[in-house]
Amino acid sequence: MSADDVDALVRDALRRRRKPRPNADAGERALVVVYADAQAGKVGRDGGTPELVRRVANRLDRLDDHVRDLKAIGQGPTAAYWMDAGDCVENYENTAQQAYTNDLAMTEMIRVHRRITFEGLDRLAGRFDRVVAATCGSNHGRVRRGREAVGPPSDDWGIEVMSQVADAYARNVDAFGHVSFVLPEKWRETVSLDVAGTTVGLAHGHQYPRPDKAADWWRSQSFGRQAVADAAILVTGHFHHFRAQQLGSGRLWIQAPTLDNGSDWYTARSGEVSTSGLLVFSVGPTGWDHLRLL
């Protein structure tokens, strides 16, 4: 190919007429809200329960602003997915320290988380014609005797709270018939959902020892035919820091940031400090976009 041919190729490619932009209304656009690692009852450098509640309220206000911004640019979602990535309560059986640093009893932790979940879902239910809420098993949420897990993976306070919320919504079908719920099967810790035509998996992330092992764990799920095996997007929590990584052929792993009051023991050991946030992104006919930390 001569220099003139190369110049013509580049010129023609860059000056070609742009194809018409696809119609934004061609298919469903879904907003995904990831609520992760709030650990109600935990006390740390960023406070206790009052600070947690104020932090969540602030992020929900930012969520309202985010939805308005999307509508303003013609990318408004038509459905919403609330994904609770686990560790909703601090619990008091994981470590001995918890019994001396928590500012809530176990029942109070559950109550706080339940009320926060109602608030988040009520806001979405008032804005969208279809809302789906999902959760998964986690290490802090698991019912334990000492440090040992008791019962099947579904014996989890986060799953139980979501079940309670689902029961309450089912009592008022006229107002909340457009809200549905997805919980893991009894012997599984993960779920997958069809989000605007894209399969999105949800797992807490405690199944692997380090974040850099997430990809290996996800790949291995296909051999066990687990719920997230065929997901195009995998959402996890547990490690408190935001990460996003493309894997394989077009798959995306997103690790959500924490909403908790800080893990001072981890900071003392590693020097790392988690930045709290509410993770959101959109899924539409052409894939995912508008990933934000609120």
Side-chain angles (χ1 to χ4, degrees):
M1 183 178 288
S2 68
D4 290 341
D5 291 336
V6 172
D7 290 343
L9 174 66
V10 173
R11 181 183 65 250
D12 293 344
L14 295 179
R15 293 181 180 177
R16 74 190 189 285
R17 290 182 62 85
R18 181 179 177 181
K19 293 181 180 180
R21 184 173 181 176
N23 187 349
D25 298 327
E28 180 181 77
R29 286 191 57 80
L31 171 71
V32 179
V33 181
V34 184
Y35 182 89
D37 297 282
Q39 294 177 226
K42 180 180 184 179
V43 176
R45 66 175 183 275
D46 293 327
T49 299
E51 288 75 20
L52 170 67
V53 173
R54 285 195 291 268
R55 185 179 310 117
V56 172
N58 174 265
R59 296 316 192 273
L60 292 179
D61 288 344
R62 294 187 191 181
L63 176 61
D64 291 338
D65 295 338
H66 177 66
V67 172
R68 282 194 292 269
D69 290 344
L70 291 177
K71 289 183 178 180
I73 61 172
Q75 298 288 302
T78 55
Y81 289 74
W82 175 273
M83 293 193 177
D84 186 330
D87 276 6
C88 59
V89 296
E90 174 67 358
N91 215 318
Y92 57 88
E93 296 279 16
N94 299 71
T95 66
Q97 181 185 30
Q98 292 170 323
Y100 297 94
T101 57
N102 292 344
D103 65 355
L104 296 177
M106 192 66 214
T107 52
E108 293 171 325
M109 297 180 203
I110 296 166
R111 196 173 306 134
V112 166
H113 174 59
R114 183 174 65 244
R115 290 172 177 172
I116 287 175
T117 302
F118 268 119
E119 177 64 24
L121 287 180
D122 283 351
R123 291 199 186 197
L124 295 179
R127 281 183 171 271
F128 297 95
D129 293 333
R130 192 163 72 85
V131 176
V132 180
T135 193
C136 58
S138 63
N139 56 309
H140 281 264
R142 189 74 179 270
V143 175
R144 298 179 181 277
R145 179 181 299 146
R147 297 188 66 180
E148 297 299 320
V150 177
S154 59
D155 205 3
D156 179 282
W157 289 116
I159 295 173
E160 171 57 21
V161 165
M162 192 64 80
S163 177
Q164 294 170 8
V165 174
D167 288 344
Y169 274 54
R171 300 285 290 183
N172 192 351
V173 177
D174 290 341
F176 298 111
H178 62 301
V179 182
S180 59
F181 296 82
V182 178
L183 304 177
E185 297 177 13
K186 183 174 182 177
W187 294 101
R188 300 198 179 191
E189 293 181 326
T190 62
V191 297
S192 281
L193 305 90
D194 182 333
V195 180
T198 296
T199 302
V200 179
L202 177 65
H204 179 56
H206 64 300
Q207 295 90 346
Y208 40 89
R210 304 187 307 274
D212 59 4
K213 294 296 184 181
D216 293 338
W217 174 82
W218 190 7
R219 292 188 188 100
S220 70
Q221 295 299 288
S222 62
F223 276 52
R225 296 186 174 90
Q226 296 299 296
V228 301
D230 297 323
I233 300 174
L234 175 65
V235 175
T236 65
H238 185 62
F239 288 100
H240 290 211
H241 287 75
F242 167 71
R243 292 190 180 201
Q245 182 179 356
Q246 289 186 314
L247 301 168
S249 178
R251 300 205 187 196
L252 175 69
W253 166 52
I254 306 174
Q255 181 175 283
T258 182
L259 280 161
D260 79 343
N261 290 314
S263 295
D264 300 283
W265 65 270
Y266 184 75
T267 299
R269 187 179 72 180
S270 67
E272 295 289 340
V273 178
S274 303
T275 301
S276 63
L278 185 70
L279 173 73
V280 297
F281 62 95
S282 297
V283 181
T286 60
W288 65 272
D289 53 22
H290 298 299
L291 191 153
R292 301 283 189 276
L293 302 183
L294 305 180

